[in-house]
Amino acid sequence: MDGCRMNCELLATCSALGYLEGDVYHREPDCLESVKDLIRYLRHEDETRDVRQQLGAAQILQSDLLPILVQYPQDKVLFDAVVRLMVNLTQPALLCFGKVPADATSRHHFLQVLSYLQAYKEAFASEKVFGVLSEKLYDLLQLDWEQRQEEDTLLIERILLLVRNVLHVPPDPTEEQRVDGDATVHDRVLWALHISGMDDLLKFLASAQMEQQWALHVLEIISLMFRDQSPEDLAVLGQGQAGAEHGEDTRELQSLRQRELAEKRTRALQRPYRHSRFCGSYVLQGLKAIGDRDVVFHKGLHNLKSYSHDLGKEPRRVPRRRQAAPEAEVPHRSARNVRLFLHRFCRDFLEGCYNRLMLLVKEHLVREKAQQHDETYYLWACAFFMAFNRRRGFRPELVSETVGVRAFHFIEQNLTAYYEMALMDKKEAVTWARRMHLALRAYQELLRTVQEMDRSPEPAVRDSSQVIKSNIFYLMEYRELFLTLFRKFDETKQPRSFLRDLVETAHLFLRMLERFCRGRSSLVVQSKRVRRKKQPRAPAAPQPPSTEELQELWAGLAPQLQACLQGEVPLPEDVVPFDAASETPVEEQRAEALLRIQGCLRDARVPQALRLLRSARDVWPEGDVFGPPNAGPPEETRLLQDIFFALLPRESVALGMGGLRFGDAAAPQHCPIAEHAPPEAEEPEEEEEAEEEEEETVQVSEKEFNFHDYLKRFACAPVVRALVLLLRGYPRNTARTNHCAARLLHRLARDLHMEPLLFQLSLFALFNRLLHDPAAGAHQELVALAKFILGKFFALAATNKKAFVELLFWKSPAAAREMSEGYGSLREGEGAGRSRAPPWTPQEEQLLRELYWKYKEVEGSDVAGAILAQLPAPGRTRRHLVKHLVRLGLIGSARELPRQRKGTRIVLWTQEQEEELTRLFEEFRGSDDVLGRILQHLTARRSRARVVDKLLALGLVATRAELYKKRRRKGQDPAPVPGAPAALGQDSSEDGDSEEEEEDEEEDEEPMEGPEEGAGPGLAQRLHQEGLAGPLRWLQSCLRRTAEDREEDGASHPAPLVPLSEENEDAMENRRFQGLLRRLGLRPPESEQETFWRIPAALTPRLLRRAAASITHRGPDPSGSPQGLPEPPQCPRDPDPASPQPPDSESEEPDPSPPQPHTKRERDLDSEDEASGSSGPAVPPEDEELQPLGRRKRIRRVEEEEEED
């Protein structure tokens, strides 16, 4: 509906409400329907709130709705509809827009709606309106709960929401520029609320047993009533202290008068005795101008002190992100009659409602029955009413519900949560800072209440305060709270009032803690220490036994093993290799079983080892890892011998079967497990240590508390900076605020003897302004502190000439001590100097340069390690060495000297090693795995990539393809097929080129839009061996069923994979199974709202059937012919199923070793080998067109690269 038509309909609807004649409102017959139409229009308004703005501009609420409400309260249906409409019209602007808009257009609409709300609030400042609402609310509350209908309950809630909305409207600062004591719009609304008796109804709702559901509504209304009010001012009101209030105003006026008179006297003294038409010109010697000459001053000498180079310059604009946070509430003193009414309300509320209402609200918050952030009203009520009770004749029984250890814990938990959210949610940091301020005020009032309890004449109250203090001083969280808030204070997010309350609360806490410790000889407190343990860096394993020791031990175990195999020794029956209820994956439990068998053998427990082997064979029959099912005594003896001599590192338990390493020289080479040894875990580089995953453990202990040591933790730059920032506004601060800040600085300077900690230029500029202030007499404590600090500084400057330079920097305790005791004093074995590296002397730097240029030219050497071994000075680390090389400019960054990986330290080949490599190549040249055999028999351990490079450099091989592991199908002769390129072996000891591995990982992370050709069969066979045959059959049926459904419907929609059995659910969490799903083109859950994997709509029925066929289990054919192999993917442009296809090498018996990552080049060679390396019938040349176009391009590209090499 366009804007013009909408305006016309609104105008017609508003005209059908009625008209006002004098003080009498005449409603139209369609008044009720018009009100409902307006409600409907508001429900369908756009994001600019156009309907709300048009109704506000027409003043419908002032001219129609309020007169209808006042004159027709007996019409229940009309009254209910009008109240419902007014609740909608008066809802806060933040609820309408969600937040304060950032763009100019939306912000204009926001301010427009806010101006209409302020006009509504002024219209509600009427005794008649609140009188009608109070009478209606009173009649509804008179009904018993069995007589009260649902409509009555809704009307009660709407009346309370209407009162809340009216009180929530903020004041207009441009219109309400009144002095203290004048009545504002908010005061007039409060007075109308009081005259109508609404305040008594609110107290009844807060105390009635049957009205518990309105507890949060009532607390929210009360918090809005006392907005901008000070509990201390309200508490002293009505107790005959009007003269004291008047005297405080008088003292403030006298202070301003003294400041004005002092400024007049200063100006009079600066006035010259005789008139000068040109005021004279002077040269300021020693003060340079822009050039090399001295400054020429063209004004009178009385203006010389105010001279600055910044005169006449435009002040630099402070960016918005660096501006100080504005104050949330500006204090205002209401009219006296309003304050008297609020004083009586607070008194009655404390005596009859406070404890009960706070108990109900706390229960709602704990049980999460409240809305989000409703705990802020609870925190405000704690701070406000406890302060009122403290200043008005302290009575602890009136606030007993919110005084105790539980109250401290609740407030501390919320304060910590707000603090963490302010650090994480940067966009809403200001809002979280306001909530944090409310919690801090509540915490402060709790401390002040406990302090007042110490002064109580009743022993029971004093004992209770001692119990509370012993609990909060014992726990570490309460002691660390203020240090954390000081260190993370940000003036751009947190207002100055937050810093004021933080300083006052910290001062109060320190004073209470000091007095609590003073009366005791010792105080034991709780201490928590977080220990971080880096996961990748495993502890040093014990040295494994030598080969001779293992052979000697095996010779001793042989007779006992033969006796167990012949049945002479009974085997135990309580050995279980598998725990079905454990959360450990199956692969890891299989690795643990191998380690347990080896441990039993090396501990001479042969019966347990044999029983464990046979039990593990029954649990994991696939792959013959624990032997074939019908293994006899010779096979079991050989298998136990392989396990006994195998090298099984303990860290392999966390890696599963893929982390087991069998490569010891004593292990027989025919062991089926020993052929697939992955490389050793690489040593993490030092630059990556900060990114390693850490495990945190909290250790709780007790220690004796020392207040002096605790106070030292406040001696840091963030605390001093915050105190200086607060003292910059000392003329506007209260006397208590200045006292707390000065006392904290005095503790740091005098009690801790750390005066240099306060030697800072910004603080000295503040002292200079204070000492020249005409009204400095009112701040004697600050003046005394300034004189003390300045005297200490000039005394130190007489001996330390660098003290003036130190003024430019914030200092730590170590720097402050060095400044007073001498630089370098902490490097002699105490303080922070113990963790510092020894300084570099000129001779050591010269030696470092020589060693760097010496080892830099050595090919493949570890430059940093070689230099570190040659340095004479102890205590150097690799990190310190690399940093100093960067500082000297010898290297650009630490990445130029990475830590060498484990296993690749030997780079240079000696002549003997080259001859050994040539001999091994000639020896194993005809084997299936030439490179693997060479790596097993090399004396010096080398990486796979280094050996390949050396073979190419020696000319023993022409291309890398000659070193690939040759594949053969079952039933065929193990000899390689002549002339056919060998398939790439997935040897787990291959390191590969790091750049190609990174490129390969990036390619694997790309989403699959369809089934990856040739990728499913090999992985499916491995999953079959791992016992996932059932989930694979379920996946195959899902794919085929989806293909049939899409053919029948003629449309494609994403279909979820819903596992209904526990076996299928476990398979969906298996990483390899998920890898198979990705290769088949299936899509994982994209967001939190999706739970299951989905079959994308882009997969056609043909692609789905091809994917289902690729995961079919193909067992070995007894005749040796490759029957039942999955059909390779056909060209979608020219399908020819009758043409013979080359068998897919991935369908053969898979290698039991875990799959290793392949590079792009290796995968291209695999594709080439699979296409041409079959031993079946020759493929006609025209069949080459059946391969996908992308695969042919990759093969051609690889062939061109090989020719270039």
Side-chain angles (χ1 to χ4, degrees):
M1 186 177 298
D2 57 349
C4 297
R5 187 176 179 184
M6 189 66 182
N7 289 335
C8 296
E9 290 187 1
L10 278 178
L11 182 59
T13 305
C14 295
S15 301
L17 291 174
Y19 60 95
L20 184 64
E21 186 177 0
D23 295 335
V24 180
Y25 189 87
H26 301 276
R27 61 176 179 176
E28 296 290 345
D30 298 333
C31 181
L32 178 60
E33 287 72 14
S34 300
V35 173
K36 294 181 179 180
D37 289 340
L38 292 177
I39 296 175
R40 191 179 306 109
Y41 291 150
L42 286 172
R43 189 182 302 129
H44 298 286
E45 61 182 352
D46 58 6
E47 65 275 1
T48 63
R49 304 294 181 255
D50 55 342
V51 178
R52 195 177 304 272
Q53 293 189 47
Q54 294 175 31
L55 293 179
Q59 299 184 357
I60 296 300
L61 187 139
Q62 297 93 318
S63 59
D64 293 279
L65 298 182
L66 288 180
I68 293 175
L69 184 75
V70 172
Q71 296 189 18
Y72 300 100
Q74 68 279 1
D75 192 342
K76 184 177 180 180
V77 179
L78 180 60
F79 186 87
D80 192 4
V82 171
V83 171
R84 183 181 171 189
L85 177 57
M86 287 195 299
V87 169
N88 198 339
L89 283 176
T90 58
Q91 69 178 358
L94 284 175
L95 291 180
C96 298
F97 290 86
K99 62 179 182 179
V100 180
D103 58 300
T105 304
S106 301
R107 191 176 183 84
H108 170 73
H109 295 304
F110 176 84
L111 295 177
Q112 197 69 28
V113 171
L114 187 60
S115 64
Y116 295 140
L117 289 175
Q118 292 167 352
Y120 295 161
K121 184 174 184 178
E122 189 172 359
F124 267 94
S126 172
E127 300 176 9
K128 295 181 180 180
V129 175
F130 275 100
V132 172
L133 294 176
S134 300
E135 292 178 2
K136 180 62 68 173
L137 183 60
Y138 177 79
D139 295 339
L140 294 174
L141 295 178
Q142 289 296 318
L143 300 175
D144 295 334
W145 64 271
E146 62 270 5
Q147 298 177 355
R148 192 178 298 175
Q149 302 296 325
E150 185 178 358
E151 294 80 6
D152 300 331
T153 304
L154 288 176
L155 185 56
I156 293 175
E157 185 176 8
R158 285 167 182 162
I159 292 176
L160 293 177
L161 288 177
L162 180 60
V163 176
R164 190 279 309 267
N165 291 345
V166 173
L167 293 174
H168 188 274
V169 178
D172 188 0
T174 59
E175 297 293 335
E176 299 186 9
Q177 296 179 354
R178 294 182 173 87
V179 297
D180 289 342
D182 197 2
T184 61
V185 175
H186 190 75
D187 294 340
R188 289 191 281 129
V189 172
L190 290 178
W191 186 250
L193 184 145
H194 169 60
I195 295 299
S196 64
M198 182 67 74
D199 56 338
D200 297 329
L201 294 177
L202 292 176
K203 288 183 285 187
F204 170 77
L205 290 173
S207 59
Q209 177 71 23
M210 306 301 298
E211 309 295 340
Q212 298 181 6
Q213 56 182 329
W214 314 117
L216 282 169
H217 290 79
V218 172
L219 186 61
E220 186 177 2
I221 292 174
I222 292 174
S223 67
L224 294 173
M225 287 173 55
F226 289 91
R227 185 174 58 189
D228 303 338
Q229 300 293 334
S230 172
E232 290 83 1
D233 295 342
L234 291 179
V236 300
L237 193 66
Q239 298 181 357
Q241 298 187 9
E245 180 181 340
H246 182 267
E248 182 179 355
D249 295 340
T250 304
R251 285 192 297 271
E252 183 178 358
L253 183 61
Q254 289 179 354
S255 175
L256 294 176
R257 179 62 177 168
Q258 290 177 2
R259 188 185 301 273
E260 183 181 3
L261 293 176
E263 291 177 356
K264 286 184 177 181
R265 288 195 299 270
T266 304
R267 287 197 299 268
L269 293 175
Q270 291 177 354
R271 188 175 302 135
Y273 293 103
R274 64 183 184 86
H275 173 73
S276 175
R277 183 179 300 273
F278 302 104
C279 298
S281 297
Y282 305 92
V283 176
L284 304 182
Q285 294 182 357
L287 187 60
K288 298 297 182 182
I290 298 178
D292 295 335
R293 299 182 178 181
D294 294 335
V295 174
V296 178
F297 189 64
H298 298 283
K299 295 185 179 181
L301 291 177
H302 59 280
N303 295 321
L304 181 60
K305 291 184 178 181
S306 61
Y307 175 77
S308 172
H309 288 295
D310 296 331
L311 291 177
K313 296 180 181 179
E314 294 184 1
R316 179 176 297 179
R317 179 181 174 272
V318 180
R320 181 176 300 179
R321 65 178 182 274
R322 296 182 181 178
Q323 294 179 359
E327 296 291 339
E329 296 180 359
V330 179
H332 171 73
R333 186 185 300 173
S334 301
R336 183 172 178 81
N337 56 347
V338 176
R339 285 186 288 150
L340 287 173
F341 144 64
L342 295 176
H343 171 85
R344 287 192 294 268
F345 184 90
C346 288
R347 183 189 59 194
D348 298 340
F349 183 79
L350 277 173
E351 293 177 355
C353 311
Y354 179 79
N355 286 330
R356 177 173 180 78
L357 182 65
M358 299 300 283
L359 176 63
L360 293 175
V361 172
K362 180 72 172 296
E363 183 180 359
H364 283 40
L365 294 175
V366 172
R367 298 188 177 184
E368 298 183 354
K369 294 182 179 180
Q371 296 181 0
Q372 194 176 14
H373 307 312
D374 276 352
E375 71 276 359
T376 54
Y377 302 112
Y378 179 87
L379 298 174
W380 172 89
C382 288
F384 189 90
F385 289 104
M386 291 176 70
F388 183 88
N389 178 64
R390 177 175 51 85
R391 292 299 300 270
R392 182 188 170 273
F394 178 71
R395 295 173 58 186
E397 66 275 6
L398 297 182
V399 292
S400 59
E401 181 58 37
T402 54
V403 177
V405 179
R406 292 184 179 180
F408 273 100
H409 175 71
F410 180 79
I411 296 174
E412 189 271 336
Q413 289 293 319
N414 283 278
L415 183 57
T416 305
Y418 297 152
Y419 161 75
E420 293 175 352
M421 289 303 300
L423 295 180
M424 293 186 294
D425 191 1
K426 299 295 184 181
K427 294 183 179 180
E428 299 295 333
V430 176
T431 303
W432 290 110
R434 293 175 182 173
R435 298 185 182 122
M436 189 164 39
H437 193 186
L438 286 174
L440 181 62
R441 286 181 177 176
Y443 194 86
Q444 180 184 12
E445 282 305 323
L446 273 177
L447 290 177
R448 290 185 175 181
T449 301
V450 173
Q451 186 185 30
E452 289 292 333
M453 292 171 65
D454 281 341
R455 304 170 184 172
S456 176
E458 300 179 8
V461 177
R462 294 197 301 270
D463 294 342
S464 299
S465 69
Q466 293 297 321
V467 172
I468 294 174
K469 288 192 296 183
S470 62
N471 279 276
I472 63 175
F473 293 152
Y474 174 78
L475 294 178
M476 182 179 179
E477 289 79 6
Y478 300 108
R479 301 194 305 270
E480 298 293 325
L481 181 63
F482 301 104
L483 288 168
T484 305
L485 294 179
F486 267 121
R487 288 170 181 169
K488 295 299 182 180
F489 175 76
D490 186 0
E491 60 177 331
T492 62
K493 304 295 187 302
Q494 297 161 324
R496 190 70 60 88
S497 57
F498 177 86
L499 180 59
R500 178 195 63 212
D501 291 331
L502 176 60
V503 170
E504 293 181 3
T505 310
H507 167 73
L508 178 61
F509 185 84
L510 287 175
R511 189 173 62 178
M512 293 175 62
L513 182 58
E514 184 181 15
R515 292 181 179 178
F516 189 79
C517 297
R518 189 179 301 167
R520 289 166 175 78
S521 58
S522 63
L523 176 64
V524 178
V525 297
Q526 186 187 75
S527 176
K528 292 184 180 180
R529 183 180 180 183
V530 179
R531 300 190 64 181
R532 294 177 174 84
K533 182 179 179 181
K534 294 185 177 179
Q535 295 285 0
R537 189 175 295 278
Q543 188 71 19
S546 62
T547 306
E548 293 76 9
E549 295 176 356
L550 290 176
Q551 291 177 352
E552 182 180 354
L553 182 59
W554 177 256
L557 295 177
Q560 186 179 1
L561 178 60
Q562 295 299 326
C564 293
L565 291 173
Q566 295 175 4
E568 299 177 1
V569 178
L571 302 182
E573 299 294 337
D574 56 347
V575 178
V576 180
F578 177 73
D579 186 6
S582 175
E583 297 181 357
T584 307
V586 179
E587 292 185 356
E588 296 185 13
Q589 293 199 34
R590 183 166 55 181
E592 290 180 6
L594 283 172
L595 289 171
R596 290 172 60 188
I597 294 173
Q598 188 186 65
C600 292
L601 288 174
R602 294 187 178 183
D603 294 340
R605 292 180 293 154
V606 179
Q608 289 83 352
L610 183 59
R611 171 57 67 186
L612 191 58
L613 175 68
R614 293 176 177 177
S615 302
R617 184 190 307 150
D618 297 336
V619 176
W620 296 287
E622 61 275 0
D624 295 343
V625 178
F626 297 96
N630 54 354
E635 289 83 359
E636 290 182 340
T637 302
R638 178 177 53 81
L639 189 60
L640 288 175
Q641 183 181 4
D642 294 343
I643 297 177
F644 179 81
F645 284 99
L647 181 60
L648 301 178
R650 291 296 170 180
E651 55 268 17
S652 63
V653 177
L655 301 174
M657 282 298 296
L660 295 178
R661 181 175 175 269
F662 297 80
D664 195 89
Q669 300 301 325
H670 60 270
C671 177
I673 308 176
E675 296 180 0
H676 315 291
E680 288 189 9
E682 296 177 351
E683 184 178 354
E685 298 184 9
E686 192 163 357
E687 289 77 16
E688 300 176 358
E689 289 182 356
E691 301 177 2
E692 293 177 349
E693 184 179 356
E694 295 181 349
E695 179 184 0
E696 294 187 356
T697 57
V698 180
Q699 294 184 349
V700 181
S701 60
E702 290 186 345
K703 67 176 183 180
E704 187 172 352
F705 181 76
N706 189 336
F707 179 78
H708 192 266
D709 293 340
Y710 175 70
L711 187 60
K712 287 181 180 179
R713 305 194 60 187
F714 286 86
C716 57
V719 176
V720 179
R721 189 184 298 114
L723 294 174
V724 172
L725 180 62
L726 180 63
L727 287 178
R728 286 178 184 174
Y730 73 91
R732 302 184 300 273
N733 296 339
T734 62
R736 174 173 176 77
T737 301
N738 289 332
H739 165 73
C740 295
R743 187 69 181 91
L744 280 175
L745 290 176
H746 185 269
R747 285 181 183 273
L748 301 179
R750 187 66 179 270
D751 298 351
L752 298 180
H753 304 287
M754 291 187 181
E755 297 88 355
L757 198 67
L758 305 185
F759 295 166
Q760 219 283 330
L761 194 60
S762 59
L763 182 60
F764 281 18
L766 172 63
F767 287 161
N768 181 56
R769 183 162 61 95
L770 173 67
L771 296 176
H772 290 83
D773 191 355
H779 311 287
Q780 290 297 329
E781 190 174 11
L782 291 178
V783 172
L785 176 65
K787 293 181 178 179
F788 171 75
I789 297 298
L790 291 175
K792 291 291 184 179
F793 172 76
F794 288 114
L796 179 63
T799 57
N800 186 0
K801 300 302 181 182
K802 299 179 182 179
F804 295 96
V805 181
E806 293 281 3
L807 288 175
L808 302 175
F809 308 99
W810 298 99
K811 286 164 283 295
S812 62
R817 184 174 176 181
E818 283 188 334
M819 186 178 175
S820 58
E821 297 182 4
Y823 297 99
S825 59
L826 295 181
R827 298 182 183 179
E828 298 176 357
E830 61 177 356
R834 291 181 295 178
S835 62
R836 298 180 182 177
W840 291 84
T841 62
Q843 295 78 11
E844 291 177 344
E845 289 183 351
Q846 181 63 26
L847 177 62
L848 180 61
R849 291 187 179 92
E850 295 176 357
L851 292 175
Y852 173 75
W853 292 112
K854 175 183 178 181
Y855 291 103
K856 181 185 178 183
E857 305 300 332
V858 180
E859 180 183 357
S861 64
D862 184 9
V863 179
I867 295 176
L868 201 60
Q870 297 294 328
L871 286 178
R876 303 288 184 192
T877 63
R878 184 186 183 94
R879 185 185 298 272
H880 296 153
L881 174 66
V882 174
K883 285 185 177 180
H884 201 68
L885 288 174
V886 175
R887 189 176 296 111
L888 293 177
L890 298 177
I891 58 176
S893 64
R895 296 182 179 180
E896 297 183 14
L897 298 179
R899 183 186 294 272
Q900 286 201 351
R901 299 178 184 272
K902 198 173 183 179
T904 61
R905 297 183 184 276
I906 306 175
V907 179
L908 298 179
W909 291 77
T910 62
Q911 183 177 0
E912 293 79 6
Q913 292 172 352
E914 291 180 356
E915 294 175 355
E916 180 187 12
L917 179 62
T918 305
R919 178 180 57 81
L920 292 175
F921 176 76
E922 296 296 340
E923 180 180 352
F924 299 109
R925 189 169 192 172
S927 62
D928 294 340
D929 187 8
V930 182
L931 190 58
R933 297 292 185 179
I934 293 175
L935 290 173
Q936 291 175 1
H937 291 80
L938 271 179
T939 305
R941 187 174 181 273
R942 302 278 183 173
S943 67
R944 189 182 186 93
R946 300 297 182 190
V947 175
V948 172
D949 293 339
K950 195 61 180 178
L951 289 173
L952 291 172
L954 294 176
L956 299 178
V957 293
T959 61
R960 296 176 184 267
E962 299 181 21
L963 299 174
Y964 294 158
K965 184 178 179 180
K966 301 177 179 60
R967 294 178 180 267
R968 65 177 183 273
R969 294 198 300 272
K970 283 186 177 291
Q972 287 190 341
D973 188 10
V977 179
L984 177 64
Q986 296 183 356
D987 197 297
S988 59
S989 63
E990 177 182 357
D991 288 341
D993 192 271
S994 59
E995 296 180 359
E996 293 181 354
E997 290 179 1
E998 294 175 0
E999 192 177 23
D1000 183 35
E1001 293 175 0
E1002 293 176 1
E1003 182 180 4
D1004 291 341
E1005 292 177 358
E1006 294 179 358
M1008 299 290 296
E1009 297 188 1
E1012 185 179 350
E1013 300 181 3
L1019 185 56
Q1021 298 300 328
R1022 283 191 288 271
L1023 294 175
H1024 271 288
Q1025 291 183 357
E1026 294 179 4
L1028 297 179
L1032 287 173
R1033 287 193 298 270
W1034 164 74
L1035 175 61
Q1036 192 177 21
S1037 64
C1038 291
L1039 293 174
R1040 290 173 177 170
R1041 193 185 315 116
T1042 305
E1044 295 174 0
D1045 295 341
R1046 292 183 178 180
E1047 284 183 348
E1048 294 176 1
D1049 299 340
S1052 298
H1053 302 284
L1057 286 177
V1058 184
L1060 301 180
S1061 64
E1062 184 177 356
E1063 182 183 11
N1064 295 340
E1065 288 184 3
D1066 296 340
M1068 295 298 290
E1069 297 177 359
N1070 192 314
R1071 295 182 60 184
R1072 291 191 179 180
F1073 195 84
Q1074 293 178 358
L1076 176 64
L1077 295 179
R1078 287 190 176 90
R1079 293 187 179 185
L1080 294 179
L1082 274 62
R1083 179 173 60 81
E1086 292 184 350
S1087 61
E1088 297 179 355
Q1089 298 180 356
E1090 292 184 0
T1091 307
F1092 306 107
W1093 285 67
R1094 278 168 167 72
I1095 303 176
L1099 296 183
T1100 62
R1102 184 183 175 199
L1103 291 177
L1104 291 175
R1105 287 193 177 90
R1106 182 187 302 173
S1110 67
I1111 61 176
T1112 305
H1113 180 55
R1114 309 293 183 182
D1117 186 39
S1119 63
S1121 60
Q1123 298 177 0
L1125 290 175
E1127 181 181 352
Q1130 305 288 332
C1131 180
R1133 296 179 300 174
D1134 187 15
D1136 189 6
S1139 300
Q1141 301 297 329
D1144 191 355
S1145 62
E1146 291 292 334
S1147 63
E1148 302 167 4
E1149 184 68 18
D1151 200 354
S1153 65
Q1156 297 296 326
H1158 286 252
T1159 62
K1160 292 181 178 179
R1161 181 185 182 90
E1162 293 167 352
R1163 287 201 302 271
D1164 294 339
L1165 291 175
D1166 279 336
S1167 302
E1168 180 183 6
D1169 298 338
E1170 293 168 8
S1172 60
S1174 173
S1175 60
V1179 180
E1182 57 268 20
D1183 283 349
E1184 184 181 356
E1185 296 297 324
L1186 296 178
Q1187 297 182 358
L1189 184 61
R1191 168 180 269 181
R1192 287 189 280 108
K1193 289 183 177 180
R1194 291 197 302 269
I1195 294 175
R1196 292 171 183 171
R1197 187 177 68 250
V1198 173
E1199 292 176 352
E1200 293 173 359
E1201 292 178 359
E1202 295 293 347
E1203 292 177 359
E1204 292 176 1
D1205 295 339

